[in-house]
Amino acid sequence: MYNRRKFIKLSAVSASLAALSRSAVAKSLSSISPPNLPIVISTWDFGIIANKEAWKTLEKGGRALDAVEAGVKIPEADPNNHTVGRAGYPDRDGHVTLDACIMDEFGNCGSVAAMEYITHPISVARLVMEKTPHVMLVGEGATQFAVEQGFKKEKLLTPESKKAWKEWLKTAKYSPVINIENKHHMPGSKYNHDTIGMLAIDAKGNISGACTTSGMAFKLHGRVGDSPIIGAGLYVDNEVGGATSTGVGEEVIRNVGSFLVVELMRQSYSPEDACKEAVKRIIKKKPETAKQIQVGFLAINKRGEYGAYALQSGFSFAVCNSDKQDLLIKGKSIY
Ligand code: SD4
């Protein structure tokens, strides 16, 4: 009897101790999770100014989707940026054709490809997502839709881009060069140029992403890269995280790169390891090509942890949260 009573008493003590330690664990978990939301990250040095614009929405408690659209519109409108938006370098026939896509926390997505005459392809992509039953519009159909939605039709080829194109025409040699956009950037421009891919998590923990580009400089007319292709240039799964890519789009498409990165994070790879594995797949399929081109991936998981990996050195990404608005990180690389 005595023993039984003592046992009951002891059990009660250990049960309340267990409850206490459970509540301590719960408390410590809630204090570290979510770590630092909201947060926005994006590719390359010009990601800093784009993130700052996105942050204006996020810090007010706004939606990640609105933040990424507003953020990437900054490089799209920048007259000194020759790889995104209105001042993008043209294709080999002199047409500026733009690619962009956007994806929200519900798995909705919209995209435009090879679209001419419109400065903000990301906003057209958003309207494709929100106002049509489709995911992707291309070429003239995309421009027509944009005009119907009230976008202004503009001539996008700037004098600087035209000059660079004329210069290129002298040899008209097309071979993707590592960070080709950086090599073609105009004197006086202070940014390191390339596609912008942006991923944000808002205060509610919802993830969205956007990706926008003028594509590879002096491409074949009609060429579409990875950037407007959901799963290649961008992918978001609100349960897992998001990923985006930059570099030679053909290799990203072949590996459905951003979808792969998100799926690897689902299998509990860290964002950086997932990006590294996706880069390694590119090498595995085309080892010789991989040595001569650039591809970079950037990813964030549901907890707001982020990471990146590239084939070649020179890839950077920008991070913005309540701690710091202008953090620039050098991406790790294989070569
Ligand atoms: C494309 N991925 O069109 C884009 C462009 C880019 O370095 O990121 N270039 O293939």
Side-chain angles (χ1 to χ4, degrees), residues 44 99 179-181 194-195 213-216 223-227 245-250 294:
W44 303 104
D99 295 342
N179 300 336
I180 187 169
E181 288 77 5
D194 220 294
T195 294
T213 190
S214 53
M216 301 302 289
R223 179 267 188 187
V224 171
D226 58 323
S227 307
S245 64
T246 180
V248 177
E250 281 72 5
Q294 176 64 302

Side-chain angles (χ1 to χ4, degrees), residues 12-335:
V13 170
S14 49
S16 52
L17 272 176
L20 199 71
S21 71
R22 261 200 310 278
S23 84
V25 169
K27 209 165 168 193
S28 75
L29 271 181
S30 71
S31 62
I32 57 160
S33 171
N36 203 350
L37 301 183
I39 184 170
V40 56
I41 61 174
S42 56
T43 53
W44 303 104
D45 301 15
F46 56 27
I48 291 178
I49 48 166
N51 284 354
K52 280 189 183 165
E53 187 64 25
W55 184 250
K56 290 181 191 165
T57 299
L58 294 174
E59 73 174 339
K60 285 188 298 210
R63 190 176 168 202
L65 183 72
D66 295 324
V68 294
E69 181 191 1
V72 303
K73 280 174 82 171
I74 297 296
E76 279 186 343
D78 182 351
N80 292 316
N81 186 324
H82 299 293
T83 57
V84 178
R86 63 154 297 118
Y89 283 147
D91 62 22
R92 59 181 58 190
D93 299 343
H95 302 274
V96 179
T97 67
L98 305 178
D99 295 342
C101 74
I102 195 159
M103 193 160 186
D104 75 7
E105 70 270 35
F106 304 110
N108 297 315
C109 45
S111 156
V112 289
M115 183 177 70
E116 291 185 66
Y117 308 114
I118 307 290
T119 294
H120 288 299
I122 199 65
S123 299
V124 185
R126 180 166 177 175
L127 291 181
V128 172
M129 171 174 90
E130 292 178 341
K131 301 226 160 139
T132 79
H134 310 305
V135 164
M136 191 170 199
L137 294 180
V138 306
E140 278 173 29
T143 308
Q144 185 188 325
F145 171 74
V147 170
E148 282 164 13
Q149 292 298 320
F151 288 80
K152 203 170 113 203
K153 209 171 159 183
E154 293 171 273
K155 199 166 164 263
L156 299 185
L157 190 66
T158 64
E160 292 80 14
S161 297
K162 192 171 177 180
K163 197 172 150 206
W165 171 56
K166 292 274 183 203
E167 193 56 38
W168 176 82
L169 279 178
K170 287 183 187 160
T171 53
K173 220 176 118 197
Y174 183 76
S175 55
V177 178
I178 292 165
N179 300 336
I180 187 169
E181 288 77 5
N182 303 345
K183 295 194 167 115
H184 281 281
H185 89 274
M186 299 305 287
S189 161
K190 56 186 179 179
Y191 302 116
N192 183 13
H193 292 306
D194 220 294
T195 294
I196 186 155
M198 178 179 278
L199 303 160
I201 311 184
D202 59 32
K204 290 187 181 137
N206 287 325
I207 312 169
S208 289
C211 186
T212 177
T213 190
S214 53
M216 301 302 289
F218 319 127
K219 60 197 174 186
L220 273 178
H221 183 57
R223 179 267 188 187
V224 171
D226 58 323
S227 307
I229 298 180
I230 295 296
L234 176 76
Y235 196 69
V236 169
D237 183 321
N238 206 42
E239 286 179 1
V240 178
T244 188
S245 64
T246 180
V248 177
E250 281 72 5
E251 300 314 313
V252 179
I253 295 170
R254 281 191 238 282
N255 291 277
V256 200
S258 293
F259 181 72
L260 173 63
V261 171
V262 171
E263 286 307 298
L264 290 167
M265 290 195 292
R266 192 193 303 281
Q267 293 164 33
S268 72
Y269 277 59
S270 71
E272 184 180 298
D273 287 348
C275 292
K276 187 176 184 183
E277 177 59 25
V279 167
K280 280 160 93 181
R281 296 276 176 100
I282 289 173
I283 298 172
K284 203 170 168 194
K285 281 199 185 138
K286 289 190 178 273
E288 287 315 309
T289 308
K291 280 184 204 149
Q292 292 155 35
I293 60 161
Q294 176 64 302
V295 170
F297 290 103
L298 174 65
I300 194 160
N301 67 18
K302 187 73 180 166
R303 291 192 293 278
E305 296 157 346
Y306 52 81
Y309 228 91
L311 277 170
Q312 316 289 340
S313 62
F315 176 47
S316 57
F317 65 99
V319 179
C320 171
N321 59 23
S322 59
D323 283 349
K324 206 164 166 19
Q325 261 85 70
D326 58 357
L327 181 62
L328 188 70
I329 299 180
K330 222 173 130 189
K332 294 185 188 167
S333 64
I334 301 277
Y335 299 118

